Amino acid sequence: MCRTIPLLLTAAALLAAGVTACGDSGRPAGKGASSGSGGGTRSVTTGAIAIVDTAPVYLAQSQGFFKKHGIDAKITSVQGGAASITGVMGGQFAFGFANTTSLLTARQQGLPLKVVANGVASTGERDTDYSAVLVPAGSPVTSAKDLAGRTVAVNQLKNIGDTTVRAAVRKDGGDASKVEFVEMPFPDMPAALAKGRVDAVWEVEPFVTQATGQGARAVAWPYADAAPDLTVAMYFTTQPTLQKDPELVKDFTAAMNEALAYADAHPDAVREILKSYTSIPAEAIAKIKLPTWPTEINRESVQTVADDARQDGTLTKDADVAALLP
């Protein structure tokens, strides 16, 4: 999943430098020879991590939704939400994709980010969600509350993984403060679990399917447990871009909403597009559990994540969710 913005990219440093969403040419990012709805095609670069979650943005390109709304889209693959946020703030990208906790954290640091479209959501169903906490077959852990006192691997500390795992533990009646988290890349987790280096791992697809295929079993589904139909990640820009080119933002949002609805209704198209931009083997693509892609942001779930992150200390003060969301 997406990572939080690096500490070295502070709001003070960016704002002191007068950084807005401008490219190398000095034009607002996303500007081409013409601007505004109906004013011709505009070149737009979006930073997005190449994972299952971002299938709609690639479908928006391949199915012509961007073109329909006058956008010549370029999608740049990034390593995570931190790179996406950095790129948007520095003007490399007009839009980016990052998870809810990363966006809340960046906004609290003073970065003027603004969500423009939903990104991806949990299925809301335990057993069938695309994110799960897994343990070895012989583990005594049988549910989320049993994770108290155990070591759980997440891909990024103080982010959406540990936030939702703690929420699941609390909901199951366990002591979330006693869960020990260690940072580890998703691809390394199945082997670490099999070798007993950690007691449990928090994974997302395709790694959930990989690990269960090797004998691991799921004991919790943090996205589904944390909040009904959790909004996991969203597409965003900066407030300066929104103010300078509202028509561009409007057109991008319209294209993404069409793509989200298309992805949600056409899982076979999602599985096919995954072959074009991820390194997931075709046989795994056929088996993985897909998330959902609603067009509406579940605002209540974003607030729940913000409250949980505040309770856990990931956020240092109450989040202004309304300022982040459209």
Side-chain angles (χ1 to χ4, degrees):
M1 291 299 298
C2 310
R3 298 170 65 88
T4 52
I5 192 163
L7 292 178
L8 61 89
L9 181 61
T10 64
L14 286 166
L15 297 176
V19 172
T20 60
C22 292
D24 292 338
S25 66
R27 294 182 308 222
K31 283 287 191 180
S34 55
S35 62
S37 295
T41 301
R42 293 145 298 164
S43 296
V44 172
T45 301
T46 301
I49 185 170
I51 55 175
V52 175
D53 307 44
T54 56
V57 75
Y58 291 90
L59 286 169
Q61 186 179 53
S62 68
Q63 296 296 319
F65 299 130
F66 280 137
K67 184 177 180 180
K68 173 183 174 182
H69 291 280
I71 292 174
D72 177 16
K74 177 182 178 183
I75 304 166
T76 299
S77 178
V78 298
Q79 291 300 309
S84 187
I85 291 170
T86 301
V88 169
M89 284 301 303
Q92 182 182 0
F93 314 132
F95 301 95
F97 175 93
N99 76 54
T100 298
T101 306
S102 292
L103 291 170
L104 289 166
T105 302
R107 183 79 194 195
Q108 189 163 105
Q109 291 177 347
L111 301 184
L113 304 183
K114 192 71 175 179
V115 168
V116 298
N118 199 15
V120 66
S122 160
T123 65
E125 299 290 336
R126 305 180 89 247
D127 296 310
T128 62
D129 204 19
Y130 77 112
S131 171
V133 175
L134 307 169
V135 297
S139 171
V141 176
T142 61
S143 69
K145 66 181 179 182
D146 297 333
L147 294 172
R150 312 278 180 176
T151 302
V152 181
V154 294
N155 75 314
Q156 170 75 13
L157 297 175
K158 293 186 176 297
N159 208 279
I160 198 165
D162 50 22
T163 296
T164 55
V165 170
R166 285 192 181 99
V169 171
R170 280 194 292 267
K171 190 177 233 182
D172 197 39
D175 187 348
S177 68
K178 292 185 178 180
V179 182
E180 181 183 353
F181 292 98
V182 295
E183 190 170 290
M184 184 181 299
F186 282 134
D188 297 346
M189 291 184 190
L193 187 66
K195 293 177 181 179
R197 285 163 38 203
V198 291
D199 297 314
V201 297
W202 170 69
E203 285 277 31
V204 296
E205 291 289 14
F207 306 107
V208 173
T209 295
Q210 177 187 344
T212 54
Q214 296 172 356
R217 58 183 172 83
V219 296
W221 293 264
Y223 285 169
D225 290 339
D229 305 318
L230 175 72
T231 292
V232 176
M234 295 168 281
Y235 292 91
F236 67 95
T237 189
T238 65
Q239 287 180 316
T241 294
L242 180 59
Q243 292 164 359
K244 291 178 181 178
D245 202 342
E247 293 299 333
L248 174 64
V249 175
K250 178 182 177 181
D251 288 338
F252 179 88
T253 300
M256 284 308 309
N257 283 341
E258 289 190 39
L260 289 163
Y262 183 86
D264 223 30
H266 297 85
D268 289 343
V270 169
R271 295 183 192 276
E272 188 62 31
I273 199 74
L274 288 174
K275 299 174 185 177
S276 71
Y277 73 92
T278 74
S279 57
I280 304 172
E283 58 271 20
I285 288 175
K287 298 176 182 178
I288 61 175
K289 298 169 183 174
L290 297 178
T292 63
W293 289 284
T295 57
E296 294 296 321
I297 296 167
N298 185 336
R299 303 176 79 91
E300 184 176 349
S301 77
V302 175
Q303 185 64 60
T304 297
V305 171
D307 293 342
D308 287 338
R310 178 71 177 97
Q311 181 175 348
D312 298 330
T314 297
L315 295 178
T316 57
K317 59 183 178 181
D318 292 344
D320 187 352
V321 172
L324 174 66
L325 299 185

